[in-house]
Amino acid sequence: MDDETFLEETFQLRTDYIPLCDLLKYCSITESGGEAKHLIAEGNVLVDGDVELRKTAKIRPGQIVSGLDFQIHVVAAP
């Protein structure tokens, strides 16, 4: 894996939670919600190190969402 293609990002959450498919779209991991749902359904997305197959899983501050070429740290907005 090339370090230049690995995305590491911190996402500031302004609500209680964000659906997993929306997080992937907002962070530009996927170009659309449909693409995000497909990525999740294939088992290519981990939440806190475990495969997550629920497209609308509630992602909350403190969780880490990752995949082959990305890692998103979700934190509460100040």
Side-chain angles (χ1 to χ4, degrees), residues 2-19:
D2 186 339
D3 284 341
E4 293 177 37
T5 61
F6 188 82
L7 173 71
E8 188 159 3
E9 184 169 335
T10 298
F11 180 81
Q12 291 190 354
L13 186 61
R14 289 174 170 72
T15 57
D16 289 341
Y17 68 89
I18 183 170

Side-chain angles (χ1 to χ4, degrees), residues 11-73:
F11 180 81
Q12 291 190 354
L13 186 61
R14 289 174 170 72
T15 57
D16 289 341
Y17 68 89
I18 183 170
L20 179 57
C21 57
D22 291 349
L23 177 66
L24 297 177
K25 184 174 63 174
Y26 292 147
C27 291
S28 300
I29 301 302
T30 60
E31 293 182 13
S32 69
E35 188 181 336
K37 290 176 181 178
H38 186 70
L39 188 69
I40 296 163
E42 290 182 331
N44 293 324
V45 178
L46 305 177
V47 176
D48 294 335
D50 295 322
V51 173
E52 179 56 74
L53 298 174
R54 296 173 297 158
K55 299 166 188 73
T56 58
K58 295 177 179 178
I59 305 303
R60 301 179 188 279
Q63 292 189 292
I64 297 173
V65 175
S66 60
L68 182 61
D69 57 357
F70 68 92
Q71 185 172 60
I72 304 164
H73 298 264

